[in-house]
Structures are given as C-alpha cells and as structure tokens.
Amino acid sequence: MSRKNTICPTKKFINERKQTMKKRIICLLITFAVAVSVCCALSLSVDAAGWETSGNLKFKLNYDGNSYRVAAANTSITTANIPRSFAGKPVTEIADSGFKECHQLRSCSIPDSIKKIGTDAFCFCEKLTDINLPSSVTYVGSSAFLCCESLTSIAIPNGTTHLDSMFSGCENLKTVYIPKTVTSFVWYTFKQCHNLETIYFAGTRAEWNELCKNNFYTFFETGSKTSKGTYTVICSVCPHLSKTTTPYTAPT
C-alpha cells in the first residue's frame, strides 16, 4: 500500500469529524436561540401582567418578593373568599382597584393576613353588603368603598389613621365604628351618606372634638351629653346623622 492511500482515509475521517462537529455546534446554537426567545417571551408576558389566577381571584407578587396582593379575576364575581396565603407566601394586600366595579359582588371574606386595602379597592360594588375588616388592617386607601350603596354598617379597624372619602356615595350606610387611632378625615368622607344615623367613636369626647376640628368642619355643631353618653351632631352632608357615642367597644 502506497503512502498516499494511507493518508487519504485519515484526512477524510478528519474532515467528516469537522463537518459533524460543525453541525452539532449549529444545532446547539439554534437550540440556545430558541430557548432564549421562549424565555424572553415568557418574561415579557410576566412583566406585562404579573398576575396568577386561581379560581375567581388573581394574585401578584408584591415588590418585597415575600408577599402577594389580591384582586378579582373578573368583574362578574359574586363572592370573594381571600386566602391567607398563595404559593406559600402570605396575602397581605387588596390591590388598588382590586374589586372595582364588581357590580355583582355581595360579600368578601378578608383574612387577618391583610394589612392594606388599596385605593378604590371596592368602589362601585353596589351590591356589597357583607364585609368585615380584620384588626390586622392598618391602612385603607382613598375611596375604598366609594358608592357601595348596599353597605349599612362598617367598623374601621384599630390602627387606621386617616379616612379619605372612604364612604362617599354609600347611600344606605347607617352606622360607622371609628377607632381612636383615626386622627383626621376630609369633609367628603361621608358625602351622600344620606341615611347615616350613628357614629361610634372609641376615643374620648375631647379627642372627638379635636378630630372634628381637623376635617374642614364636617360636623358644625355638637350638643350636650345625654344620659346615655351620646352627643347630638349636625352634619351638612348627612342630614339624618343624629348622634355619636363615645367611648365604645368595637364589634367583633
């Protein structure tokens, strides 16, 4: 056998190996590119929405990465039972506009893991009649219950400090329980609460007077103390408001 015939098969083998490796590298590059594209697409989807749906609720990871906020998955929801946790992490907030314009929502169960109720959280939930705010809630956003026309009574959790147009348009609201931690509320907090009859305030009479001074004179006059410890209150935007009771024991 000549030297030429001995070398040629070796070169052919090397060339075939090179071609095979080249094909493998190209395949790997294509696979990698496809994987990157898929990951980018998924990333864009999460960034654009960020919500995970479970039943009639949806959840979004908060900025701290350790808790979730919750909202209605759709506006046709009738009952909401918010869980204490989702995906192994606590649910601590009701999102801004979380249940806004859920016109058929009648009741919402809120666990004691919730600390914050966002702005416009339940506004325009005209059929909402049953809602209890747990003592864990320390912040209630502006217009949270705006135009909840079916609410008749509500107790603000202890720790809440400010009421900002929270009940405007709650036409059938009759009784409100306010903790002594509330230090201010604006004049339109009770705007169009035409049937509001009684405000129960947990603080002293002096604290109530101070609270009234800081709300642009929503309550223009207060009467003398009665035998039952109530006071007559005149409010221009609540014509049926007849009394406040201080102090009081918050309902359970």
Side-chain angles (χ1 to χ4, degrees):
M1 182 178 294
S2 66
R3 181 179 177 84
K4 181 179 180 180
N5 291 337
T6 303
I7 294 174
C8 286
T10 303
K11 287 184 176 180
K12 182 179 180 181
F13 175 76
I14 292 172
N15 289 334
E16 288 177 351
R17 286 289 301 273
K18 287 181 177 179
Q19 291 297 323
T20 301
M21 290 298 295
K22 186 176 181 180
K23 289 179 180 179
R24 287 181 178 176
I25 291 171
I26 291 173
C27 288
L28 287 171
L29 289 173
I30 292 173
T31 302
F32 179 76
V34 171
V36 169
S37 298
V38 171
C39 289
C40 288
L42 289 174
S43 178
L44 288 173
S45 175
V46 170
D47 289 342
W51 293 95
E52 299 178 62
T53 300
S54 177
N56 59 6
L57 299 174
K58 60 182 181 180
F59 303 85
K60 186 174 183 178
L61 199 62
N62 287 323
Y63 296 113
D64 61 9
N66 297 316
S67 59
Y68 280 90
R69 72 192 80 169
V70 63
N74 56 75
T75 56
S76 63
I77 186 172
T78 59
T79 302
N81 294 307
I82 299 173
R84 289 176 54 85
S85 62
F86 178 77
K89 296 180 180 180
V91 179
T92 60
E93 298 181 18
I94 295 178
D96 291 346
S97 303
F99 294 86
K100 183 178 180 179
E101 296 182 355
C102 290
H103 302 297
Q104 303 303 315
L105 183 65
R106 296 179 181 275
S107 65
C108 182
S109 175
I110 302 177
D112 58 9
S113 62
I114 297 293
K115 299 178 181 179
K116 176 183 177 181
I117 296 177
T119 299
D120 296 338
F122 293 95
C123 73
F124 297 112
C125 293
E126 295 94 342
K127 294 185 178 180
L128 182 64
T129 59
D130 185 12
I131 188 166
N132 291 313
L133 307 184
S135 58
S136 57
V137 174
T138 57
Y139 176 85
V140 182
S142 174
S143 305
F145 298 97
L146 178 73
C147 293
C148 288
E149 298 174 356
S150 296
L151 275 182
T152 58
S153 177
I154 193 166
I156 307 303
N158 190 43
T160 305
T161 59
H162 185 64
L163 309 181
D164 184 0
S165 63
M166 188 182 296
F167 306 111
S168 294
C170 293
E171 295 183 355
N172 291 297
L173 187 65
K174 292 185 177 180
T175 308
V176 177
Y177 297 86
I178 299 178
K180 65 183 298 181
T181 52
V182 171
T183 57
S184 65
F185 55 86
V186 293
W187 71 268
Y188 46 85
T189 296
F190 300 106
K191 185 178 181 180
Q192 295 180 337
C193 294
H194 301 305
N195 291 297
L196 184 61
E197 296 177 351
T198 308
I199 292 176
Y200 292 92
F201 180 63
T204 64
R205 178 61 176 170
E207 289 170 329
W208 173 254
N209 286 340
E210 189 64 28
L211 177 60
C212 290
K213 287 180 181 179
N214 295 330
N215 64 50
F216 301 104
Y217 302 99
T218 297
F219 302 95
F220 293 111
E221 297 179 28
T222 55
S224 60
K225 184 176 180 180
T226 68
S227 60
K228 294 183 179 180
T230 61
Y231 296 84
T232 300
V233 176
I234 299 173
C235 176
S236 62
V237 296
C238 305
H240 295 286
L241 184 61
S242 60
K243 61 183 179 180
T244 62
T245 300
T246 176
Y248 83 99
T249 302
T252 57

